[in-house]
Amino acid sequence: MAHASFDGLRVLSLESRRAKEVEKLIRTYGGEPFVVPAMREVKLESNVQALEFAERLIRGEIDVVIFLTGVGVRALLEIVETKFERETFLAALRRVKIVTRGSKPEAALRELKIQSVASAQEPSTWHELLEAMERYFGATLQTQRVALQEYGASNPELLAELTERTASVIKVPVYQWALPLDLQPLRECIQELAHGKVDIILFTTAVQIIHLMIVAQQTNAVADLMRGLRSVVVVSVGPTTTAELLHYGITPDFEPSRPKMGFLINEAAQYSAQTLRQKRERAASIGFDLLPEELPTEHLPTTPASIPRPPRSVRKVAESTPTMAGFTDGLNSFEFLHEISSRIAAADPLHTVLDRIVDFVATMIPCDSCFIYVLEDEKLVLRASRNPHADLVDRLDVKLGQGITGWVAQHREPVAIASKASDDPRFTPFKNVPEDAFEAMLCTPVLCATRVVGVINLQHRLSYSHSEVEVRLLSMIGFLVGAEIERARLETENSQLSDRLETRKAVDRAKGVLQRDLNLSEDEAYRLMQRESRQRRRSMREIADAILLSDDMKKSRASA
């Protein structure tokens, strides 16, 4: 198959956060990028709702918190810290059930040492979110008091479903989307579309569509915009964005095989040229100047945003080819090395490093699953997963030599299986691991100074024959990231040892205070702290700190 390429076509993106990255990717695939940010993130005028949520959470009046975005996790923490102690709020979050919409909020929470109990699978719409909650909570869902972290705007469909299925729901808005301060680029973008100067338009969020239509309405250019879109390839990143397009009477030409930026641009480069040719031929045959109000009924918006949208009839393209993300499509060796080194050079904590490696690997080689195991005490521990697995990450361990993953670590050789991986004599099934049913597998060791420090494991639902380039690529990534994984692991281990040491010091000092003030033995003082820890659902460190703080305040009052 030919390499993915836009072949000089002009590609419009309305991306804001990742505008530079999108521009670079479009150019990498031979396109002429035209990037016009359609929105900006702004703080709310009032944080009352977020602070009221934090207060109720700390009081124990919330059972489940749903996080929809990674940015929302961080924004909420910044707001809460203006009124409450950071650790008090985080401790309250750890006591309740956490549900996430995909990998980004999972990663943000993991940095805070908070684990979710359920997460929406791709394409990570509100439908998958509710399905994940139904699977985990079952009949008990109707007794749960739920808080929903919103992003940009409320989702009335999700709120309605949660209200019906749970005991109560509160909204927790933390930021909102606004139009750009300068609207002139968007106005020019609409004119470019109307006059046929754009070949492909990429939509990565529903808000982009809403803002584009708002500006078109302000300039009385809706008819021109709709007419222009009839001769442009419209690509939607996923079902939620597609639903908004259909609401405005715009039918996307296709969605990528996975709702990710890299897949979106790669597959747009592969399929857009042919789609564009067919679309313009059809437009010419039915009359290019046909106005939107004269279009057949199915092209017109008929349902308001609050009413469930019709089932989408947008095709998904085939799975990405090995040309994914430009490794053989134009990124030379220097660019590839720069890309991976920039991802691991930040000296971040272990889980952050591993999540970045998972994202990078899944972008470079198309796959349905990516696991990273880290060797610790002669066992391979699952530390990162592309698919959300709150019940497996940091808990599943594999002995050296056990299963295909253990065999790869023991023999320090890659293994590529094109189909029926479970029939391989080295295969060992694990309880509650959906990937065990997948057909194909590519597994390579991660090395640091000739020593195995982990294993990278890729899996595919359907049969997949890995090329020699892909096997060598994954092996090379294993060589490159080995030292960084080992560094992050050792730093995390040292940090944990330091925390345990500080906790032990604080507990010992607190025991001394209790022995002195209550005339207790050391063992009695320790048991008293343990009892308080269980009853108050606080860690021993928190109980010790409270005792020491109280003692310091007594001394201060006495000296005063």
Side-chain angles (χ1 to χ4, degrees):
M1 181 173 180
H3 295 326
S5 175
F6 285 113
D7 291 326
L9 295 176
R10 196 169 194 216
V11 185
L12 169 63
S13 169
L14 303 176
E15 181 63 25
S16 302
R17 279 186 187 153
R18 304 171 67 184
K20 290 184 178 179
E21 183 180 348
V22 169
E23 183 176 349
K24 180 182 176 182
L25 274 173
I26 293 171
R27 207 178 298 279
T28 296
Y29 283 106
E32 181 187 342
F34 179 30
V35 181
V36 180
M39 56 194 195
R40 61 189 173 94
E41 182 184 314
V42 296
K43 293 183 177 180
L44 297 172
E45 293 182 3
S46 170
N47 292 321
V48 170
Q49 287 177 281
L51 293 173
E52 285 180 350
F53 152 74
E55 188 170 351
R56 292 184 63 180
L57 180 74
I58 292 168
R59 289 202 305 258
E61 297 174 3
I62 303 293
D63 302 311
V64 181
V65 181
I66 303 173
F67 285 102
L68 299 181
T69 64
V71 173
V73 174
R74 300 180 182 96
L76 178 60
L77 189 56
E78 287 181 8
I79 293 169
V80 170
E81 284 182 315
T82 62
K83 184 176 179 180
F84 301 98
E85 289 291 331
R86 175 189 177 96
E87 286 307 318
T88 301
F89 176 69
L90 293 180
L93 270 181
R94 295 185 185 108
R95 290 195 297 271
V96 300
K97 301 291 191 298
I98 304 294
V99 178
T100 61
R101 186 183 70 95
S103 59
K104 291 183 179 178
E106 282 277 329
L109 289 165
R110 197 176 295 128
E111 292 175 10
L112 302 172
K113 299 180 180 178
I114 296 173
Q115 288 193 330
S116 66
V117 297
S119 185
Q121 300 292 326
E122 287 185 359
S124 302
T125 69
W126 63 270
H127 297 284
E128 286 78 29
L129 183 71
L130 285 177
E131 287 171 5
M133 293 181 69
E134 290 279 6
R135 281 196 302 271
Y136 180 81
F137 291 102
T140 64
L141 182 59
Q142 61 187 356
T143 67
Q144 305 299 314
R145 298 166 295 178
V146 177
L148 173 67
Q149 172 257 308
E150 296 186 323
Y151 62 104
S154 292
N155 184 327
E157 295 158 325
L158 174 57
L159 286 169
E161 290 291 337
L162 286 172
T163 301
E164 187 171 329
R165 301 187 195 195
T166 64
S168 64
V169 181
I170 63 169
K171 301 191 298 182
V172 188
V174 290
Y175 62 89
Q176 62 186 358
W177 292 115
L179 284 163
L181 292 173
D182 182 7
L183 295 180
Q184 188 57 31
L186 271 178
R187 298 187 189 109
E188 293 174 357
C189 153
I190 292 169
Q191 290 303 309
E192 297 276 275
L193 284 164
H195 291 91
K197 295 181 180 179
V198 173
D199 301 307
I200 303 161
I201 183 168
L202 309 176
F203 288 102
T204 54
T205 175
V207 181
Q208 294 171 353
I209 303 140
I210 296 169
H211 285 185
L212 186 68
M213 296 304 294
I214 288 173
V215 175
Q217 289 167 357
Q218 290 175 351
T219 56
N220 296 318
V222 173
D224 293 336
L225 173 62
M226 297 293 286
R227 182 169 50 232
L229 288 173
R230 291 178 52 223
S231 59
V232 171
V233 176
V234 179
V235 187
S236 164
V237 74
T240 302
T241 304
T242 292
E244 198 64 44
L245 284 164
L246 293 174
H247 166 63
Y248 284 101
I250 303 165
T251 303
D253 293 290
F254 59 83
E255 295 175 4
S257 59
R258 290 192 58 223
K260 300 288 185 181
M261 183 73 74
F263 285 78
L264 173 77
I265 296 176
N266 170 268
E267 291 164 1
Q270 291 188 49
Y271 301 105
S272 289
Q274 180 181 356
T275 304
L276 180 66
R277 184 169 59 253
Q278 294 171 346
K279 196 168 186 178
R280 287 184 173 171
E281 287 173 355
R282 178 176 176 274
S285 68
I286 65 173
F288 184 81
D289 293 327
L290 195 64
L291 290 173
E293 56 267 25
E294 297 171 316
L295 289 174
T297 306
E298 65 265 22
H299 291 283
L300 295 175
T302 56
T303 55
S306 59
I307 298 177
R309 278 71 179 247
R312 60 187 176 89
S313 57
V314 178
R315 72 184 178 99
K316 275 196 175 185
V317 297
E319 291 291 330
S320 285
T321 67
T323 61
M324 184 63 215
F327 178 66
T328 57
D329 270 340
L331 283 182
N332 60 35
S333 303
F334 176 79
E335 288 177 313
F336 166 71
L337 290 171
H338 179 270
E339 175 71 13
I340 192 169
S341 62
S342 64
R343 288 174 182 255
I344 66 176
D348 285 320
L350 177 62
H351 280 104
T352 304
V353 170
L354 296 179
D355 287 338
R356 286 176 175 169
I357 294 170
V358 165
D359 288 342
F360 182 77
V361 170
T363 301
M364 296 301 293
I365 303 175
C367 61
D368 296 307
S369 170
C370 178
F371 288 160
I372 295 185
Y373 293 85
V374 177
L375 185 63
E376 300 173 13
D377 299 327
E378 300 305 312
K379 285 186 178 181
L380 292 161
V381 182
L382 179 62
R383 291 299 187 194
S385 170
R386 175 188 166 200
N387 300 328
H389 283 306
D391 56 332
L392 298 178
V393 174
D394 297 329
R395 299 176 186 178
L396 177 64
D397 57 59
V398 178
K399 297 176 182 176
L400 285 177
Q402 181 183 9
I404 296 173
T405 301
W407 187 94
V408 167
Q410 188 176 55
H411 292 81
R412 302 199 302 176
E413 295 178 15
V415 168
I417 302 173
S419 63
K420 298 182 179 178
S422 58
D423 290 345
D424 189 283
R426 296 165 293 190
F427 182 84
T428 300
F430 292 94
K431 188 177 180 181
N432 299 326
V433 181
E435 284 81 356
D436 278 353
F438 287 10
E439 280 282 305
M441 174 185 289
L442 174 59
C443 197
T444 64
V446 178
L447 302 174
C448 175
T450 73
R451 187 170 64 86
V452 174
V453 297
V455 171
I456 301 176
N457 194 332
L458 303 186
Q459 292 170 303
H460 307 259
R461 288 188 176 88
L462 305 178
S463 298
Y464 186 95
S465 182
H466 296 94
S467 67
E468 183 182 348
V469 170
E470 288 174 321
V471 176
R472 291 173 61 190
L473 170 61
L474 192 61
S475 296
M476 182 169 66
I477 292 174
F479 290 132
L480 290 172
V481 303
E484 179 63 14
I485 289 177
E486 183 68 355
R487 177 207 63 77
R489 186 188 69 80
L490 290 173
E491 284 195 1
T492 300
E493 191 175 278
N494 288 339
S495 175
Q496 292 171 345
L497 287 171
S498 178
D499 285 345
R500 285 200 291 269
L501 180 61
E502 291 300 318
T503 297
R504 184 171 179 176
K505 288 180 180 177
V507 169
D508 286 343
R509 287 178 58 204
K511 283 192 300 183
V513 172
L514 294 177
Q515 287 176 261
R516 182 196 67 208
D517 293 352
L518 303 179
N519 196 25
L520 300 174
S521 68
E522 182 179 352
D523 189 48
E524 288 171 333
Y526 186 76
R527 285 203 300 271
L528 175 60
M529 291 176 65
Q530 276 188 320
R531 187 165 59 252
E532 288 295 313
S533 175
R534 286 193 297 269
Q535 291 176 350
R536 298 179 183 275
R537 295 184 179 179
R538 295 288 191 271
S539 67
M540 287 288 284
R541 175 67 178 271
E542 290 176 300
I543 298 298
D545 287 342
I547 293 170
L548 294 173
L549 177 61
S550 175
D551 188 54
D552 288 342
M553 292 176 67
K554 287 179 184 176
K555 291 177 180 177
S556 297
R557 284 198 297 269
S559 62

